[in-house]
């Protein structure tokens, strides 16, 4: 028989650097989860993503145990890394702040394909390209 689910929690934590401080501690503490255990497991699984914002979906069960699923980092975070910028443009239609190549878009789209609402790689590339355009990042060939 499957365990009864108490809650599903979605968080974004820096890879390999999660701490019991907010937002992790309060989100898990209110459901009675062992925060230290989660932080240790999360940091162990994400040690190769040092500092990269990583979404995680935590399922808390009635007996206070938990499981979690790591998602791929947001496209905006990956685009900022590749373009070498700190943040997107405040006026993306007028002011461009960086540029990425279509090959780099393809790499990001292939990483994110499982988490995107897209059936194939071409559709995923279009999603990531739209994110880049909304951030003021120019796509070049």
């Amino acid at each position: 028989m499957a365990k009864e689910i108490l809650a599903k929690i979605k968080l974004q934590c820096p890879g390999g650097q999660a701490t019991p401080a907010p937002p992790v501690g309060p989100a898990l503490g209110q459901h009675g989860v062992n925060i230290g255990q989660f932080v240790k497991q999360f940091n162990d699984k994400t040690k190769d993503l040092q500092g990269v914002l990583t979404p995680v979906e935590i399922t808390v069960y009635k007996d206070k145990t938990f499981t979690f699923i790591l998602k791929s980092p947001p496209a905006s975070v990956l685009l900022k890394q590749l373009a070498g910028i700190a943040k997107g443009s405040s006026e993306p239609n007028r002011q461009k702040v960086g540029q990425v190549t279509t090959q780099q878009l393809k790499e990001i789209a292939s990483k994110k394909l499982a988490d995107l609402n897209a059936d194939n790689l071409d559709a995923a590339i279009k999603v990531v390209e739209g994110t880049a355009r909304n951030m003021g990042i120019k796509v070049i060939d």
Side-chain angles (χ1 to χ4, degrees):
M1 189 173 132
K3 295 182 183 179
E4 191 176 339
I5 295 174
L6 180 66
K8 284 195 178 235
I9 305 165
K10 292 181 180 182
L11 296 172
Q12 289 189 351
C13 304
Q17 299 174 356
T19 63
V24 177
L28 297 179
Q30 68 183 347
H31 297 293
V33 173
N34 183 336
I35 299 163
Q37 185 180 4
F38 167 76
V39 168
K40 183 178 181 333
Q41 289 179 17
F42 178 82
N43 287 341
D44 287 345
K45 280 193 175 181
T46 60
K47 63 181 165 237
D48 56 329
L49 295 170
Q50 280 298 324
V52 177
L53 203 59
T54 307
V56 60
E57 191 174 291
I58 307 159
T59 305
V60 181
Y61 299 103
K62 201 93 169 179
D63 61 355
K64 308 297 183 206
T65 58
F66 66 90
T67 57
F68 64 92
I69 300 168
L70 295 174
K71 304 286 186 176
S72 57
S76 59
V77 171
L78 298 173
L79 285 166
K80 285 191 291 188
Q81 280 182 338
L82 282 177
I85 57 175
K87 65 178 194 167
S89 174
S90 58
E91 296 182 51
N93 55 341
R94 294 190 189 132
Q95 181 183 6
K96 302 297 179 192
V97 292
Q99 61 185 22
V100 293
T101 64
T102 51
Q103 182 60 37
Q104 289 172 320
L105 284 182
K106 190 174 185 177
E107 291 170 20
I108 292 174
S110 62
K111 283 182 189 175
K112 293 207 50 71
L113 187 59
D115 295 333
L116 288 175
N117 187 15
D119 293 335
N120 56 34
L121 189 59
D122 290 334
I125 291 171
K126 293 226 184 261
V127 170
V128 176
E129 187 176 1
T131 303
R133 196 175 315 117
N134 285 331
M135 293 176 66
I137 297 174
K138 186 177 181 182
V139 179
I140 57 174
D141 285 334

